[in-house]
Amino acid sequence: MPAINQFKGQARTPGDPAPDATTITPSDTTDLEAVTTAVHLSEPGDLSVITLSGQVRLLEGLGAGWHPLRVSRIRATGTTASRIVIAW
């Protein structure tokens, strides 16, 4: 029997938990399948991203765990963090 979705039909707000997530491989050329609401790093390190305004930003020394970030791409160049999961 499928799980009952008691939230079906309700509008999402920015603080809501993400309804989906996936592991990604950073890429310098390919955007993520959706803009993130959060990024999880299993191993700490640097994260090179493209922001919603199209700017390349290097986020240095991020710890392992969840980070509330809205980005369209996680770049391979400059990213040292590993085992990255995005949520949207």
Coordinates of all heavy atoms in Angstrom, one line a residue:
M1 N 0.8 -1.2 0.0 CA 0.0 0.0 0.0 C 0.9 1.2 0.0 O 1.8 1.3 0.8 CB -0.9 0.0 1.2 CG -1.8 1.2 1.3 SD -3.2 0.8 2.3 CE -3.0 1.7 3.8
P2 N 0.6 2.2 -0.9 CA 1.5 3.4 -1.0 C 1.3 4.3 0.3 O 0.2 4.3 0.9 CB 1.0 4.1 -2.2 CG -0.3 3.6 -2.5 CD -0.4 2.2 -1.9
A3 N 2.3 5.1 0.6 CA 2.2 6.0 1.7 C 1.2 7.1 1.4 O 1.0 7.5 0.3 CB 3.6 6.6 2.0
I4 N 0.5 7.5 2.5 CA -0.5 8.6 2.3 C 0.3 9.9 2.4 O 1.1 10.1 3.4 CB -1.5 8.5 3.4 CG1 -2.3 7.2 3.3 CG2 -2.5 9.7 3.4 CD1 -3.3 6.9 4.5
N5 N 0.0 10.8 1.5 CA 0.7 12.1 1.5 C -0.3 13.1 2.1 O -1.2 13.6 1.3 CB 1.1 12.5 0.1 CG 1.8 13.9 0.1 OD1 1.9 14.5 1.1 ND2 2.2 14.3 -1.1
Q6 N -0.2 13.4 3.3 CA -1.1 14.3 4.0 C -0.8 15.8 3.6 O -1.6 16.7 3.9 CB -1.1 14.2 5.5 CG 0.2 14.5 6.2 CD 1.2 13.4 6.3 OE1 1.2 12.4 5.5 NE2 2.0 13.4 7.3
F7 N 0.2 16.0 2.8 CA 0.6 17.3 2.4 C 0.2 17.6 1.0 O 0.4 18.7 0.5 CB 2.1 17.6 2.5 CG 2.6 17.3 3.9 CD1 3.3 16.2 4.2 CD2 2.3 18.2 5.0 CE1 3.7 15.9 5.5 CE2 2.7 17.9 6.3 CZ 3.4 16.8 6.5
K8 N -0.4 16.7 0.3 CA -0.8 16.8 -1.1 C -1.7 18.0 -1.3 O -2.7 18.1 -0.5 CB -1.5 15.5 -1.6 CG -1.8 15.6 -3.1 CD -2.3 14.3 -3.6 CE -2.6 14.4 -5.1 NZ -3.1 13.1 -5.6
G9 N -1.4 18.9 -2.2 CA -2.3 20.0 -2.5 C -2.0 21.2 -1.7 O -2.5 22.3 -1.9
Q10 N -1.1 21.1 -0.7 CA -0.7 22.3 0.1 C 0.5 23.0 -0.6 O 1.4 22.4 -1.2 CB -0.2 21.9 1.5 CG -1.3 21.3 2.3 CD -0.8 21.0 3.7 OE1 0.3 21.2 4.1 NE2 -1.7 20.4 4.5
A11 N 0.4 24.3 -0.6 CA 1.5 25.1 -1.2 C 2.8 25.0 -0.3 O 2.7 25.0 0.9 CB 1.1 26.6 -1.2
R12 N 3.9 25.0 -1.0 CA 5.2 24.9 -0.3 C 5.6 26.3 0.1 O 5.4 27.2 -0.6 CB 6.3 24.3 -1.2 CG 6.1 22.8 -1.4 CD 7.2 22.2 -2.2 NE 8.5 22.4 -1.4 CZ 9.7 22.3 -2.0 NH1 9.8 22.0 -3.3 NH2 10.8 22.4 -1.3
T13 N 6.3 26.4 1.2 CA 7.0 27.6 1.6 C 8.5 27.4 1.7 O 8.9 26.3 1.8 CB 6.4 28.1 3.0 OG1 6.8 27.1 4.0 CG2 4.9 28.3 3.0
P14 N 9.3 28.5 1.6 CA 10.7 28.3 1.6 C 11.3 27.5 2.8 O 12.3 26.8 2.6 CB 11.3 29.7 1.6 CG 10.2 30.5 1.0 CD 8.9 29.9 1.5
G15 N 10.7 27.5 3.9 CA 11.2 26.7 5.0 C 10.8 25.3 5.1 O 11.2 24.6 6.0
D16 N 9.9 24.8 4.2 CA 9.5 23.5 4.2 C 10.6 22.5 3.9 O 11.5 22.8 3.2 CB 8.4 23.2 3.2 CG 7.1 23.9 3.6 OD1 6.9 24.3 4.7 OD2 6.2 24.0 2.7
P17 N 10.5 21.3 4.4 CA 11.5 20.2 4.1 C 11.4 19.9 2.6 O 10.3 20.0 2.0 CB 11.0 19.0 4.9 CG 10.2 19.6 6.0 CD 9.5 20.8 5.4
A18 N 12.4 19.6 2.0 CA 12.5 19.2 0.5 C 11.8 17.9 0.3 O 12.0 17.0 1.0 CB 13.9 19.2 0.1
P19 N 10.9 17.9 -0.8 CA 10.3 16.6 -1.1 C 11.1 15.6 -1.9 O 10.7 14.5 -2.1 CB 9.0 17.1 -1.9 CG 9.5 18.4 -2.5 CD 10.5 19.0 -1.6
D20 N 12.3 16.0 -2.3 CA 13.1 15.1 -3.1 C 14.6 15.4 -2.9 O 14.9 16.5 -2.6 CB 12.8 15.2 -4.6 CG 13.0 13.9 -5.4 OD1 13.6 13.0 -4.8 OD2 12.5 13.8 -6.5
A21 N 15.4 14.4 -3.2 CA 16.9 14.6 -3.0 C 17.5 13.5 -3.9 O 17.0 12.5 -4.2 CB 17.3 14.4 -1.6
T22 N 18.8 13.8 -4.3 CA 19.6 12.9 -5.0 C 21.1 13.2 -4.9 O 21.4 14.3 -4.6 CB 19.2 12.9 -6.5 OG1 19.8 11.8 -7.2 CG2 19.6 14.2 -7.2
T23 N 21.9 12.1 -5.0 CA 23.3 12.3 -5.1 C 23.7 12.8 -6.4 O 23.2 12.4 -7.4 CB 24.0 11.0 -4.8 OG1 23.6 10.4 -3.5 CG2 25.5 11.1 -4.8
I24 N 24.7 13.8 -6.4 CA 25.1 14.4 -7.7 C 26.6 14.3 -7.9 O 27.4 14.1 -6.9 CB 24.7 15.8 -7.8 CG1 25.3 16.7 -6.7 CG2 23.2 16.0 -7.8 CD1 26.4 17.6 -7.2
T25 N 27.1 14.4 -9.1 CA 28.5 14.5 -9.4 C 28.7 16.0 -9.9 O 28.0 16.4 -10.8 CB 28.9 13.6 -10.6 OG1 28.6 12.2 -10.1 CG2 30.3 13.7 -10.9
P26 N 29.5 16.7 -9.3 CA 29.7 18.1 -9.7 C 30.1 18.2 -11.2 O 30.8 17.3 -11.7 CB 30.9 18.6 -8.8 CG 30.8 17.8 -7.6 CD 30.4 16.4 -8.1
S27 N 29.7 19.3 -11.9 CA 30.0 19.4 -13.3 C 30.2 20.9 -13.6 O 29.4 21.8 -13.1 CB 28.8 18.9 -14.1 OG 29.0 19.3 -15.5
D28 N 31.2 21.2 -14.4 CA 31.4 22.6 -14.9 C 30.5 23.0 -16.0 O 30.4 24.2 -16.3 CB 32.8 22.7 -15.3 CG 33.8 22.6 -14.2 OD1 33.5 22.9 -13.0 OD2 35.0 22.3 -14.5
T29 N 29.8 22.1 -16.6 CA 28.9 22.4 -17.8 C 27.5 22.1 -17.7 O 26.7 22.6 -18.5 CB 29.5 21.6 -19.0 OG1 29.5 20.2 -18.7 CG2 30.9 22.1 -19.3
T30 N 27.1 21.3 -16.7 CA 25.7 20.9 -16.6 C 25.0 21.4 -15.3 O 25.5 21.2 -14.2 CB 25.6 19.3 -16.6 OG1 26.2 18.8 -17.8 CG2 24.1 18.8 -16.6
D31 N 23.8 22.1 -15.5 CA 23.1 22.5 -14.4 C 22.4 21.3 -13.7 O 22.2 20.3 -14.2 CB 22.0 23.5 -14.8 CG 22.5 24.9 -15.2 OD1 23.6 25.2 -14.7 OD2 21.8 25.6 -15.9
L32 N 22.1 21.6 -12.4 CA 21.4 20.6 -11.6 C 20.0 20.4 -12.2 O 19.5 21.3 -12.9 CB 21.3 21.0 -10.2 CG 22.7 21.2 -9.5 CD1 22.5 21.9 -8.1 CD2 23.4 19.9 -9.3
E33 N 19.3 19.3 -11.9 CA 18.0 19.1 -12.4 C 16.9 20.0 -11.8 O 15.9 20.3 -12.4 CB 17.5 17.6 -12.3 CG 17.4 17.1 -10.8 CD 17.0 15.7 -10.8 OE1 15.8 15.4 -10.9 OE2 17.9 14.8 -10.6
A34 N 17.3 20.6 -10.7 CA 16.4 21.6 -10.0 C 17.2 22.5 -9.1 O 18.3 22.1 -8.7 CB 15.3 20.9 -9.2
V35 N 16.8 23.7 -8.9 CA 17.5 24.6 -8.0 C 17.3 24.0 -6.6 O 16.3 23.5 -6.2 CB 16.8 26.0 -8.0 CG1 17.3 26.9 -6.9 CG2 17.1 26.7 -9.4
T36 N 18.4 24.0 -5.9 CA 18.4 23.3 -4.6 C 17.8 24.2 -3.5 O 17.7 25.4 -3.6 CB 19.9 23.1 -4.1 OG1 20.6 24.3 -4.0 CG2 20.6 22.2 -5.1
T37 N 17.3 23.5 -2.4 CA 16.9 24.2 -1.2 C 18.0 23.9 -0.1 O 18.1 24.6 0.8 CB 15.5 23.7 -0.7 OG1 15.6 22.3 -0.5 CG2 14.5 24.1 -1.6
A38 N 18.7 22.8 -0.3 CA 19.8 22.4 0.6 C 20.8 21.5 -0.1 O 20.4 20.8 -1.1 CB 19.2 21.8 1.8
V39 N 22.0 21.5 0.4 CA 23.1 20.7 -0.1 C 23.7 19.9 1.1 O 24.0 20.6 2.1 CB 24.2 21.5 -0.8 CG1 25.3 20.6 -1.3 CG2 23.6 22.2 -2.0
H40 N 23.8 18.6 1.0 CA 24.5 17.8 2.1 C 25.8 17.4 1.6 O 26.0 16.8 0.5 CB 23.6 16.6 2.4 CG 24.2 15.8 3.5 ND1 25.1 14.8 3.4 CD2 24.0 15.9 4.9 CE1 25.4 14.3 4.5 NE2 24.7 15.0 5.5
L41 N 26.8 17.6 2.5 CA 28.2 17.1 2.2 C 28.5 16.0 3.2 O 28.4 16.2 4.4 CB 29.2 18.3 2.4 CG 28.9 19.5 1.6 CD1 30.0 20.6 1.9 CD2 28.8 19.3 0.1
S42 N 28.8 14.8 2.7 CA 29.2 13.7 3.6 C 30.6 13.9 4.1 O 30.9 13.5 5.2 CB 29.1 12.4 2.8 OG 27.7 12.2 2.5
E43 N 31.4 14.6 3.3 CA 32.8 14.9 3.7 C 33.0 16.4 3.6 O 32.5 17.0 2.6 CB 33.8 14.2 2.7 CG 33.6 12.6 2.7 CD 34.1 12.0 4.0 OE1 34.9 12.5 4.7 OE2 33.5 10.9 4.3
P44 N 33.7 17.0 4.5 CA 33.9 18.5 4.5 C 34.8 18.9 3.3 O 35.5 18.1 2.8 CB 34.5 18.8 5.8 CG 35.2 17.5 6.2 CD 34.3 16.4 5.7
G45 N 34.7 20.2 3.0 CA 35.6 20.7 1.9 C 35.0 22.0 1.3 O 34.1 22.6 1.9
D46 N 35.6 22.3 0.2 CA 35.1 23.5 -0.5 C 34.0 23.1 -1.5 O 34.0 22.0 -2.1 CB 36.3 24.2 -1.3 CG 37.4 24.6 -0.4 OD1 37.2 24.7 0.8 OD2 38.5 24.8 -0.9
L47 N 33.1 24.1 -1.8 CA 32.1 23.9 -2.8 C 32.0 25.1 -3.7 O 31.9 26.2 -3.3 CB 30.7 23.8 -2.0 CG 29.5 23.1 -2.7 CD1 29.8 21.7 -3.0 CD2 28.3 23.3 -1.8
S48 N 32.2 24.8 -5.0 CA 32.1 25.8 -6.0 C 30.8 25.7 -6.7 O 30.4 24.7 -7.2 CB 33.2 25.6 -7.1 OG 33.2 26.6 -8.1
V49 N 30.0 26.8 -6.6 CA 28.6 26.8 -7.1 C 28.4 28.0 -8.0 O 29.1 28.9 -8.1 CB 27.7 27.0 -5.9 CG1 27.9 25.8 -4.9 CG2 27.8 28.3 -5.2
I50 N 27.2 27.8 -8.7 CA 26.7 28.9 -9.5 C 25.4 29.3 -8.8 O 24.5 28.5 -8.6 CB 26.5 28.6 -11.0 CG1 27.8 28.3 -11.6 CG2 25.7 29.7 -11.7 CD1 27.8 28.0 -13.1
T51 N 25.3 30.6 -8.4 CA 24.2 31.1 -7.6 C 23.0 31.3 -8.6 O 23.1 31.3 -9.8 CB 24.5 32.4 -6.9 OG1 24.8 33.4 -7.9 CG2 25.7 32.2 -6.0
L52 N 21.8 31.6 -8.0 CA 20.7 31.9 -8.8 C 20.9 33.2 -9.7 O 20.2 33.3 -10.7 CB 19.4 32.1 -8.0 CG 19.0 30.8 -7.2 CD1 17.7 31.1 -6.5 CD2 18.8 29.7 -8.2
S53 N 21.8 34.1 -9.3 CA 22.0 35.3 -10.1 C 23.1 35.0 -11.1 O 23.5 35.9 -11.9 CB 22.4 36.4 -9.2 OG 23.6 36.1 -8.5
G54 N 23.6 33.7 -11.2 CA 24.5 33.4 -12.3 C 26.0 33.6 -11.9 O 26.9 33.5 -12.7
Q55 N 26.3 33.9 -10.6 CA 27.6 34.2 -10.2 C 28.3 32.9 -9.7 O 27.7 32.0 -9.1 CB 27.6 35.2 -9.0 CG 27.0 36.5 -9.4 CD 27.7 37.2 -10.5 OE1 28.9 37.3 -10.5 NE2 27.0 37.6 -11.5
V56 N 29.6 32.7 -10.1 CA 30.4 31.6 -9.5 C 30.9 32.0 -8.2 O 31.5 33.1 -8.0 CB 31.6 31.3 -10.5 CG1 32.5 30.3 -9.9 CG2 31.1 30.9 -11.8
R57 N 30.7 31.2 -7.2 CA 31.1 31.5 -5.8 C 31.8 30.2 -5.3 O 31.3 29.1 -5.5 CB 29.9 31.8 -4.9 CG 29.1 33.0 -5.4 CD 29.9 34.3 -5.1 NE 29.1 35.4 -5.3 CZ 29.5 36.5 -6.1 NH1 30.7 36.5 -6.6 NH2 28.6 37.5 -6.3
L58 N 32.9 30.5 -4.6 CA 33.6 29.4 -3.9 C 33.3 29.5 -2.4 O 33.7 30.5 -1.8 CB 35.1 29.5 -4.1 CG 35.9 28.3 -3.5 CD1 35.5 27.0 -4.0 CD2 37.4 28.6 -3.7
L59 N 32.7 28.5 -1.9 CA 32.3 28.4 -0.4 C 33.4 27.5 0.2 O 33.4 26.3 0.0 CB 30.9 27.9 -0.2 CG 29.8 28.6 -1.1 CD1 28.5 27.9 -0.9 CD2 29.7 30.0 -0.7
E60 N 34.3 28.1 0.9 CA 35.5 27.4 1.4 C 35.2 26.8 2.8 O 34.6 27.5 3.7 CB 36.7 28.4 1.5 CG 37.1 28.8 0.1 CD 38.2 29.8 0.1 OE1 38.0 31.0 0.4 OE2 39.4 29.3 -0.1
G61 N 35.8 25.7 3.0 CA 35.8 25.1 4.4 C 34.5 24.7 5.0 O 34.3 24.8 6.2
L62 N 33.5 24.3 4.1 CA 32.2 23.8 4.6 C 32.4 22.5 5.4 O 33.1 21.6 5.0 CB 31.2 23.7 3.5 CG 30.8 24.9 2.8 CD1 29.9 24.6 1.6 CD2 30.2 26.0 3.7
G63 N 31.7 22.4 6.5 CA 31.7 21.2 7.3 C 30.8 20.1 6.7 O 29.9 20.4 5.8
A64 N 30.9 18.9 7.1 CA 30.0 17.9 6.7 C 28.6 18.2 7.3 O 28.5 18.8 8.4 CB 30.5 16.5 7.2
G65 N 27.6 17.8 6.5 CA 26.2 18.1 7.0 C 25.4 18.9 6.0 O 25.8 19.1 4.8
W66 N 24.2 19.3 6.4 CA 23.3 20.0 5.5 C 23.6 21.5 5.6 O 23.9 22.1 6.6 CB 21.9 19.8 6.0 CG 21.3 18.5 5.6 CD1 21.2 17.4 6.5 CD2 20.9 18.0 4.4 NE1 20.7 16.3 5.8 CE2 20.5 16.7 4.5 CE3 20.8 18.6 3.1 CZ2 20.0 15.9 3.4 CZ3 20.3 17.9 2.0 CH2 19.9 16.6 2.2
H67 N 23.5 22.1 4.4 CA 23.7 23.6 4.2 C 22.5 24.1 3.4 O 22.2 23.6 2.3 CB 25.0 23.8 3.4 CG 26.2 23.3 4.2 ND1 26.8 23.9 5.2 CD2 26.8 22.1 4.0 CE1 27.8 23.2 5.6 NE2 27.8 22.0 5.0
P68 N 21.8 25.1 3.9 CA 20.7 25.7 3.2 C 21.2 26.6 2.1 O 21.5 27.8 2.3 CB 19.9 26.5 4.3 CG 21.0 26.8 5.3 CD 22.0 25.7 5.2
L69 N 21.2 26.1 0.9 CA 21.8 26.8 -0.3 C 20.8 26.7 -1.5 O 20.3 25.6 -1.7 CB 23.1 26.2 -0.7 CG 24.3 26.3 0.3 CD1 25.4 25.5 -0.1 CD2 24.7 27.8 0.5
R70 N 20.6 27.8 -2.2 CA 19.8 27.7 -3.4 C 20.8 28.0 -4.6 O 21.2 29.2 -4.8 CB 18.7 28.8 -3.4 CG 17.7 28.4 -2.4 CD 16.5 29.2 -2.5 NE 15.5 28.9 -1.4 CZ 14.4 28.3 -1.6 NH1 14.0 28.0 -2.8 NH2 13.6 28.0 -0.6
V71 N 21.2 27.0 -5.3 CA 22.1 27.1 -6.4 C 21.6 26.3 -7.6 O 20.8 25.4 -7.4 CB 23.5 26.6 -5.9 CG1 24.1 27.4 -4.8 CG2 23.5 25.1 -5.6
S72 N 22.1 26.7 -8.7 CA 21.7 26.0 -10.0 C 22.7 25.0 -10.5 O 22.4 24.1 -11.3 CB 21.4 27.0 -11.1 OG 22.5 27.8 -11.4
R73 N 24.0 25.1 -10.0 CA 25.0 24.2 -10.4 C 26.0 24.1 -9.3 O 26.3 25.0 -8.6 CB 25.7 24.7 -11.7 CG 26.7 23.8 -12.2 CD 27.4 24.3 -13.5 NE 26.5 24.6 -14.5 CZ 26.7 25.2 -15.6 NH1 27.9 25.7 -15.8 NH2 25.8 25.4 -16.5
I74 N 26.6 22.9 -9.2 CA 27.7 22.6 -8.3 C 28.9 22.3 -9.3 O 28.8 21.3 -10.0 CB 27.5 21.6 -7.3 CG1 26.4 22.1 -6.3 CG2 28.8 21.3 -6.5 CD1 25.9 21.1 -5.3
R75 N 29.9 23.1 -9.3 CA 31.0 23.0 -10.3 C 32.0 22.0 -9.8 O 32.3 21.8 -8.6 CB 31.6 24.3 -10.5 CG 30.7 25.4 -11.0 CD 31.3 26.7 -11.1 NE 32.3 26.7 -12.2 CZ 33.6 27.0 -11.9 NH1 34.0 27.4 -10.7 NH2 34.4 27.0 -12.9
A76 N 32.6 21.2 -10.7 CA 33.7 20.3 -10.4 C 35.0 21.1 -10.1 O 35.7 20.8 -9.1 CB 34.0 19.4 -11.6
T77 N 35.3 22.2 -10.8 CA 36.4 23.0 -10.6 C 36.3 23.7 -9.3 O 35.3 24.5 -9.1 CB 36.7 24.0 -11.8 OG1 36.8 23.2 -13.0 CG2 37.9 24.8 -11.5
G78 N 37.2 23.5 -8.4 CA 37.2 24.1 -7.1 C 36.4 23.4 -6.0 O 36.6 23.7 -4.8
T79 N 35.7 22.4 -6.3 CA 34.9 21.6 -5.3 C 35.8 20.5 -4.8 O 36.3 19.7 -5.6 CB 33.6 21.0 -5.9 OG1 32.7 22.1 -6.2 CG2 33.0 20.1 -4.9
T80 N 36.1 20.5 -3.5 CA 36.8 19.4 -2.9 C 36.0 18.5 -2.0 O 36.4 17.5 -1.6 CB 38.0 20.0 -2.1 OG1 37.5 20.8 -1.0 CG2 38.9 20.8 -3.0
A81 N 34.8 19.0 -1.6 CA 33.9 18.2 -0.8 C 33.4 17.0 -1.6 O 33.4 17.0 -2.9 CB 32.6 19.0 -0.4
S82 N 33.1 15.9 -0.9 CA 32.7 14.7 -1.7 C 31.4 14.1 -1.2 O 30.9 14.5 -0.1 CB 33.8 13.7 -1.6 OG 34.0 13.3 -0.2
R83 N 30.8 13.2 -2.0 CA 29.6 12.6 -1.7 C 28.5 13.6 -1.4 O 28.0 13.8 -0.3 CB 29.7 11.6 -0.5 CG 30.7 10.4 -0.9 CD 30.9 9.3 0.1 NE 30.1 9.4 1.3 CZ 30.4 8.9 2.4 NH1 31.5 8.2 2.5 NH2 29.7 9.0 3.5
I84 N 28.1 14.3 -2.4 CA 27.2 15.5 -2.3 C 25.8 15.1 -2.7 O 25.6 14.4 -3.7 CB 27.7 16.6 -3.3 CG1 29.1 17.0 -2.9 CG2 26.7 17.8 -3.2 CD1 29.8 17.9 -3.9
V85 N 24.9 15.4 -1.8 CA 23.5 15.2 -2.0 C 22.8 16.6 -2.1 O 23.1 17.5 -1.3 CB 22.8 14.4 -0.9 CG1 21.3 14.3 -1.0 CG2 23.5 13.0 -0.8
I86 N 21.9 16.7 -3.1 CA 21.1 18.0 -3.2 C 19.7 17.6 -2.9 O 19.2 16.5 -3.2 CB 21.2 18.6 -4.6 CG1 20.7 17.7 -5.7 CG2 22.6 19.1 -4.9 CD1 20.4 18.3 -7.0
A87 N 19.0 18.6 -2.3 CA 17.6 18.5 -2.0 C 16.9 19.7 -2.6 O 17.4 20.8 -2.7 CB 17.4 18.4 -0.5
W88 N 15.7 19.5 -3.1 CA 14.9 20.5 -3.7 C 13.4 20.4 -3.5 O 13.0 19.4 -3.1 CB 15.2 20.7 -5.2 CG 14.7 19.5 -6.0 CD1 13.5 19.4 -6.7 CD2 15.4 18.3 -6.3 NE1 13.4 18.2 -7.3 CE2 14.6 17.5 -7.1 CE3 16.6 17.8 -5.9 CZ2 14.9 16.2 -7.6 CZ3 16.9 16.5 -6.4 CH2 16.1 15.7 -7.2

